[in-house]
């Protein structure tokens, strides 16, 4: 049992591209759910359109990567508008259902055999993200590694996460500047009581739409990075659980805080990879019964995801406001 | 603060009637034009801020509001009274756009209200409070009040991130909000979350927040329910002073002494219909009102 390796793996996952993508998805969700109180259950839909918008533009239409990025972002904004206009004036639960349904419908359409010519259908689509890696300042020979022990990245990976974390920093700053302003005050008032906001002259629909676009666009950006990271997209990568992983990260870190979604995403991937590596080591030293090892290999990390779920349950029991949340706020609901 | 401007039932004002001049507000020593209005349901007013025609709203078979004609005078304090379930809150909801009328027309501040949207009416200056308070629990008390401020540059997405664009306005608003908190005995709770306030404090907060919006017409649904009577009365007197500076006030209230002490005009609703209106000391002696609302036995006690 080598805990250095386990820790190294966990740390690599916590700062790697997967965590970047999850953090961005959770930041977007925080704008929807944390600050505005909109129950978006289909955040993955925005990621999906970001990723496929980029991939299809380059792979199928042969446009440049940067055009693809813009199209990916545009499509995720278009999804926000298309979801928001019909549903935001109605019951909030209808919005929740519409988001999850829209995300699933898009995933199924894109992954259907009829769409093979356009999106690759059930096969994944892949493209050349060279335009992005051409900008990579890190030497990227076959021997080049950055980091220590198992906490190491290739030059390409390091470039992706450098850009990713820079974007996270920029976006978090922008969200901070927005939310501490009177504009953010209106968002929170809508979360607390829409009718109170209306009675004071705030156009609730307009603010919700703005929040939906901002959070959806950030989700789209997460998808774009996903596409660049894997040089393609696969419909199976955009199942509904992605949304719930983003919720898990958000709640772990603390909803309606500025750093909560980022901390939560880091912690989520750290825990998940730590448990996964730990179990794999157990299995390799045959301390684990054969059936359990099958689980490890068969379903994609099913045990580690279950463990993260357990961690979340424990967190809700002992620190329900999340890592960075404010405990007094939480107890107001009980009054 | 003596009740100079609020006649008591014992000393009705002499009914001297100088010609009403709607263009000017009631000056010092002048009789308010509202006192020249005949005390009959649906009476036209010299300078109405709100005019309602044939407004109706039913819930199933129950006709909750059925108002043929109502005018609310500008710059005075109008009390809306009536027994429980009379339709007072429903009338507020209809007028402020929070509920849809089955039929009817009304105009506010000279403009016909064609597609009533609550936020739009609020921006035009019709600010209402709720019988069941809507304090924004996870916002601080001061933020609750600041939210009321109209025309904030910082509430626009494009200016919000740039603090220097809204800092001065925010400072000005904060000053005004703090004055209001002071007046409403909430200054010590300034930075607490509104969810930690008591029931009465929430009522106070909601009225302060409504005043922050600089209303043209403020509609208060039982603003002093659960508030300690001395503070409640002093605040309502403050609001009546604002009325004499031009703000129009409609408030729903059950306590008769508050109504007679504070209002210039009383509208009585029963089973959705206006059964009487007039100056408080007259309305209270109206037989229909006593029958419908006060009950004969209690009429003597109330005076
Ligand atoms: N949303 C609703 N659905 C069904 N019935 C309603 C609804 N709102 C009000 N009512 C009914 O309409 C009538 C008037 O209610 P409203 O709340 O306007 O009374 P009120 O005069 O404000 O009474 P109170 O003094 O007790 O506050 C009541 O009989 C009530 O049951
Ligand atoms: Mg009521």
């Amino acid at each position: 049992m080598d805990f250095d390796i386990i820790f190294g793996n966990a740390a690599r996952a916590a700062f790697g591209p997967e965590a970047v993508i999850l953090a961005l998805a959770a930041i977007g969700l925080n704008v929807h759910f944390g600050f505005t109180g909109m129950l978006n259950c289909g955040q993955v839909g925005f990621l999906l359109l970001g990723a496929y918008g980029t991939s299809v533009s380059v792979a199928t239409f042969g446009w440049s990567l940067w055009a693809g990025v813009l199209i990916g972002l545009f499509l995720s904004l278009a999804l926000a508008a298309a979801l928001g206009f019909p549903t935001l004036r109605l019951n909030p639960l209808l919005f929740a259902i519409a988001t999850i349904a829209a995300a699933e419908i898009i995933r199924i359409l894109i992954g259907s055999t009829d769409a093979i010519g356009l999106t690759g259908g059930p096969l994944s689509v892949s493209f050349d993200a060279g335009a992005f890696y051409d900008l990579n300042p890190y030497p990227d020979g076959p021997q080049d590694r950055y980091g220590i022990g198992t906490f190491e990245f290739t030059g390409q990976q390091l470039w992706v996460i450098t850009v990713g974390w820079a974007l996270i920093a920029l976006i978090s700053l922008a969200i901070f500047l927005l939310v501490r302003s009177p504009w953010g005050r209106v968002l929170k008032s809508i979360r607390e009581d829409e009718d109170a906001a209306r009675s004071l002259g705030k156009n609730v629909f307009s603010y919700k739409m703005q929040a939906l676009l901002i959070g959806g666009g950030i989700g789209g950006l997460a998808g774009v990075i996903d596409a660049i990271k894997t040089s393609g997209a696969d419909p199976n990568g955009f199942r509904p659980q992605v949304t719930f992983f983003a919720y898990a990260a958000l709640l772990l870190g603390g909803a309606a805080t500025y750093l909560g979604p980022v901390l939560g995403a880091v912690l989520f991937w750290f825990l998940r990879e730590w448990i996964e590596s730990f179990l794999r080591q157990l299995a390799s030293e045959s301390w684990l019964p054969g059936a359990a090892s099958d689980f490890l290999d068969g379903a994609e990390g099913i045990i580690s995801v279950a463990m993260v779920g357990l961690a979340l349950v424990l967190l809700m029991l002992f620190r329900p406001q999340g890592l960075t949340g404010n405990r007094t706020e939480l107890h107001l609901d009980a009054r | 603060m003596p009740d100079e401007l609020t006649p008591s039932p014992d000393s009705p004002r002499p009914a001297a009637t100088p010609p009403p001049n709607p263009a000017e507000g009631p000056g010092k020593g002048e009789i308010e034009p509202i006192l020249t209005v005949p005390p009959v349901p649906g009476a036209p007013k010299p300078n109405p801020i709100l005019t309602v025609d044939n407004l109706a709203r039913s819930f199933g078979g129950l006709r909750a509001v059925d108002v043929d004609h109502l005018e609310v005078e500008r710059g005075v304090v109008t009390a809306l009274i009536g027994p429980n379930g009379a339709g007072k809150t429903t009338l507020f909801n209809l007028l402020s756009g929070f509920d849809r009328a089955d039929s009817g027309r009304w105009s506010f501040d000279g403009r016909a209200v064609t597609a009533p949207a609550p936020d739009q009416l609020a921006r035009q200056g019709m600010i209402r409070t709720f019988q069941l308070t809507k304090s924004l629990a996870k916002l601080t008390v001061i933020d609750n009040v600041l939210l009321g401020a109209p025309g904030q540059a910082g509430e626009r997405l494009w200016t919000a991130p740039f603090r220097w664009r809204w800092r001065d306005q925010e400072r000005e608003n904060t000053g005004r909000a703090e004055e209001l908190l002071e007046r409403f005995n909430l200054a010590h709770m300034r930075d607490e979350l509104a969810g930690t306030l008591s029931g009465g404090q929430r009522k106070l907060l909601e009225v302060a927040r409504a005043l922050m919006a600089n209303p043209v017409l403020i509609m208060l649904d039982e603003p002093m329910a659960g508030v300690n009577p001395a503070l409640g009365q002093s605040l309502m007197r403050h609001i009546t002073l604002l009325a004499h500076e031009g703000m129009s006030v409609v408030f729903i209230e059950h306590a008769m002494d508050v109504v007679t002490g504070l209002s210039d005009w009383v509208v009585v609703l029963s089973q959705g219909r206006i059964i009487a209106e007039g100056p408080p000391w007259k309305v209270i002696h109206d037989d229909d009102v006593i029958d419908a609302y006060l009950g004969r036995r209690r009429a003597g006690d109330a005076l």
Side-chain angles (χ1 to χ4, degrees):
Chain A
M1 182 73 41
D2 186 342
F3 280 98
D4 284 349
I5 292 181
I6 295 176
F7 185 83
N9 285 340
R12 189 178 54 190
F15 294 99
E18 301 291 348
V20 167
I21 291 160
L22 184 64
L24 284 171
I27 290 172
L29 207 52
N30 197 25
V31 176
H32 295 156
F33 174 74
F35 294 123
T36 323
M38 290 189 288
L39 199 57
N40 170 12
C41 293
Q43 180 71 344
V44 66
F46 300 104
L47 276 79
L48 189 157
L49 285 179
Y52 266 94
T54 309
S55 308
V56 170
S57 298
V58 182
T60 310
F61 296 105
W63 296 332
S64 84
L65 178 64
W66 306 119
V69 168
L70 288 182
I71 285 169
L73 292 177
F74 172 80
L75 286 179
S76 55
L77 293 177
L79 174 65
L83 273 173
F85 271 106
T87 60
L88 281 184
R89 289 180 212 273
L90 307 174
N91 187 324
L93 284 181
L94 204 96
F95 171 76
I97 294 168
T99 49
I100 193 167
E104 267 298 85
I105 289 169
I106 297 171
R107 183 181 70 83
I108 290 166
L109 286 180
I110 278 183
S112 75
T113 45
D114 294 329
I116 285 184
L118 184 66
T119 64
L123 318 164
S124 48
V125 57
S126 58
F127 65 96
D128 178 14
F132 175 78
Y133 294 108
D134 286 347
L135 303 174
N136 181 3
Y138 306 113
D140 185 33
Q143 306 303 326
D144 286 318
R145 290 288 183 279
Y146 302 86
I148 35 168
T150 48
F151 178 60
E152 64 167 19
F153 300 99
T154 67
Q156 284 205 353
Q157 287 170 334
L158 190 61
W159 177 225
V160 172
I161 64 178
T162 305
V163 172
W165 284 105
L167 285 171
I168 287 173
L170 269 178
I171 289 169
S172 297
L173 177 69
I175 301 281
F176 166 74
L177 290 177
L178 274 171
V179 170
R180 66 146 186 196
S181 76
W183 184 85
R185 191 161 60 211
V186 177
L187 285 199
K188 292 183 203 160
S189 77
I190 290 170
R191 178 190 69 197
E192 297 301 306
D193 193 322
E194 279 187 37
D195 279 343
R198 279 196 189 95
S199 76
L200 296 168
K202 316 303 174 197
N203 185 338
V204 169
F205 174 78
S206 160
Y207 281 96
K208 280 183 162 181
M209 198 69 214
Q210 293 169 35
L212 186 58
L213 286 167
I214 292 171
I218 297 171
L221 185 62
V224 168
I225 293 177
D226 192 16
I228 289 176
K229 180 207 85 178
T230 44
S231 296
D234 182 331
N236 286 321
F238 300 97
R239 291 180 177 279
Q241 61 257 39
V242 175
T243 302
F244 298 103
F245 291 157
Y247 267 107
L250 183 59
L251 297 178
L252 272 171
T257 64
Y258 298 113
L259 291 179
V262 180
L263 284 178
V266 167
L267 192 70
F268 179 94
W269 272 103
F270 185 88
L271 282 177
R272 187 173 159 173
E273 192 56 39
W274 197 96
I275 294 165
E276 175 105 13
S277 289
F278 178 72
L279 292 176
R280 276 191 192 289
Q281 289 229 359
L282 278 188
S284 70
E285 294 169 21
S286 23
W287 289 358
L288 215 60
S293 324
D294 287 349
F295 262 120
L296 274 180
D297 298 327
E300 325 143 311
I302 195 166
I303 292 185
S304 47
V305 171
M307 293 302 210
V308 171
L310 188 65
L312 200 65
V313 169
L314 292 175
L315 182 92
M316 288 296 117
L317 282 176
F318 295 108
R319 201 178 159 80
Q321 70 274 37
L323 288 178
T324 59
N326 173 337
R327 183 132 203 166
T328 45
E329 277 191 8
L330 200 86
H331 287 283
L332 293 177
D333 296 336
R335 289 171 61 96
Chain B
M1 163 76 227
D3 286 347
E4 267 177 305
L5 298 165
T6 49
S8 82
D10 305 325
S11 54
R13 276 160 199 257
T17 52
N21 184 353
E24 286 170 23
K28 286 202 175 64
E30 226 176 287
I31 294 296
E32 292 169 53
I34 185 73
L35 295 177
T36 68
V37 173
V40 292
K45 309 287 184 313
N47 189 9
I49 178 86
L50 193 62
T51 309
V52 183
D53 277 301
N54 302 315
L55 189 66
R57 174 73 165 110
S58 301
F59 296 108
L62 177 87
R63 219 156 165 72
V65 167
D66 188 5
V67 170
D68 296 333
H69 187 78
L70 171 66
E71 293 184 12
V72 174
E73 176 69 354
R74 188 187 299 267
V76 308
V77 179
T78 304
L80 180 60
I81 66 170
N84 290 122
K88 305 179 295 294
T89 299
T90 307
L91 179 60
F92 266 27
N93 288 346
L94 294 175
L95 294 175
S96 57
F98 280 90
D99 191 8
R100 283 253 166 281
D102 300 331
S103 62
R105 280 170 293 122
W106 68 101
S107 68
F108 167 63
D109 207 4
R111 263 180 288 197
V113 179
T114 44
D119 55 314
Q120 203 183 336
L121 283 164
R123 287 195 295 276
Q124 289 170 13
M126 185 199 285
I127 301 289
R128 59 86 51 99
T129 66
F130 296 88
Q131 182 169 7
L132 301 171
T133 41
K134 294 185 181 297
S135 57
L136 306 164
K138 290 180 190 170
L139 266 62
T140 59
V141 167
I142 185 84
D143 270 348
N144 261 269
V145 181
L146 282 169
L147 186 73
Q152 298 187 55
E155 286 185 352
R156 284 195 303 270
L157 182 61
W158 305 119
T159 30
F162 313 111
R163 190 175 194 172
W164 69 90
R165 302 278 300 272
W166 47 265
R167 196 174 34 202
D168 292 345
Q169 194 188 24
E170 181 83 350
R171 196 177 299 133
E172 219 169 277
N173 287 339
T174 307
R176 217 156 61 75
E178 280 167 347
E179 276 169 33
L180 280 167
L181 288 182
E182 197 72 53
R183 189 181 291 283
F184 282 77
N185 263 7
L186 289 170
H188 60 294
M189 302 298 278
R190 185 187 187 279
D191 297 312
E192 303 294 325
L193 297 177
T196 65
L197 296 183
S198 74
Q201 285 174 322
R202 288 179 199 205
K203 275 275 171 193
L204 293 170
L205 176 63
E206 196 170 312
V207 177
R209 194 170 68 190
L211 285 176
M212 188 72 195
N214 286 334
V216 177
L217 168 67
I218 191 169
M219 307 192 350
L220 305 166
D221 197 342
E222 302 194 19
M224 292 311 148
V227 173
N228 105 54
L231 177 62
Q233 294 256 7
S234 109
L235 291 175
M236 284 308 286
R237 228 171 269 124
H238 167 66
I239 289 174
T240 58
L241 283 183
L242 292 178
H244 293 290
E245 287 166 16
M247 187 175 78
S248 312
V249 181
V250 180
F251 74 105
I252 297 175
E253 177 57 65
H254 283 293
M256 273 305 131
D257 53 334
V258 176
V259 171
T260 51
L262 292 173
S263 60
D264 303 310
W265 194 259
V266 179
V267 174
V268 189
L269 211 59
S270 176
Q271 297 177 14
R273 305 191 64 88
I274 295 175
I275 58 163
E277 62 174 294
W281 67 93
K282 274 193 183 135
V283 164
I284 266 182
H285 295 293
D286 186 298
D287 282 343
D288 288 343
V289 175
I290 295 169
D291 281 347
Y293 183 70
L294 298 169
R296 280 197 184 283
R297 196 176 48 76
R298 278 182 46 221
D301 309 342
L303 302 180

